[in-house]
Amino acid sequence: MQKIKYTIIALVGFFIIQGCGAYSFTGTNISPDTKTFQVGFFQNQASIIIPGIDQTFTNQLQDIILNQTNLDLVTSNGDLAYEGEIVQYYVAPTNATSANTAAQNRLTIAVNVRFYDTKNPKEDVEKRFSFFFDYPASQAETAVRDEAIQVIYERITQDILNATLAKW
């Protein structure tokens, strides 16, 4: 009787897993025949040009896809393709003091992304992603820039992965 019970539980578990389709335990939902991806250079087209932030973003997007999927990075003809541009980079005050000066500033970066799935064109996406970093107005933007860009890019690249591969 115990053997039948375990067999039924195993069969039910098998069918539940099979019904979910191809799913990796990193949270991505990728077709089994999708093997490669490519990331085009995300040029900085924002009104403020900060040297190197475009290459940093491109590299971070490649890294997160490599680290959270089993896909291989290629330079052309990828099953999945990412392209786009940095469209916004700006600093604005967010909190004021009683002396009408800024108490806190916010650096915001926005990236426009186009995602193409050659195996399933219905999954293609074009979307704008943005995030921000708040810092004390007493600090110069240049003093916090590296940390801010790292925090912002971590969030944006995870959001891109979620929107294109995890379908969140």
Side-chain angles (χ1 to χ4, degrees), residues 48-99:
I48 297 175
I49 303 297
I50 305 297
I53 68 168
D54 41 13
Q55 188 64 54
T56 301
F57 180 80
T58 303
N59 291 342
Q60 280 195 242
L61 183 57
Q62 290 172 348
D63 289 347
I64 195 169
I65 297 168
L66 281 170
N67 292 335
Q68 293 190 21
T69 70
N70 59 354
L71 299 174
D72 295 320
L73 176 63
V74 296
T75 56
S76 62
N77 298 321
D79 297 329
L80 306 176
Y82 293 84
E83 64 180 42
E85 49 281 330
I86 298 169
V87 294
Q88 200 169 48
Y89 181 105
Y90 72 92
V91 176
T94 58
N95 293 329
T97 66
S98 60

Side-chain angles (χ1 to χ4, degrees), residues 92-114:
T94 58
N95 293 329
T97 66
S98 60
N100 285 335
T101 60
Q104 192 171 31
N105 288 327
R106 174 173 287 179
L107 169 61
T108 303
I109 299 176
V111 179
N112 189 51
V113 176
R114 290 174 297 282

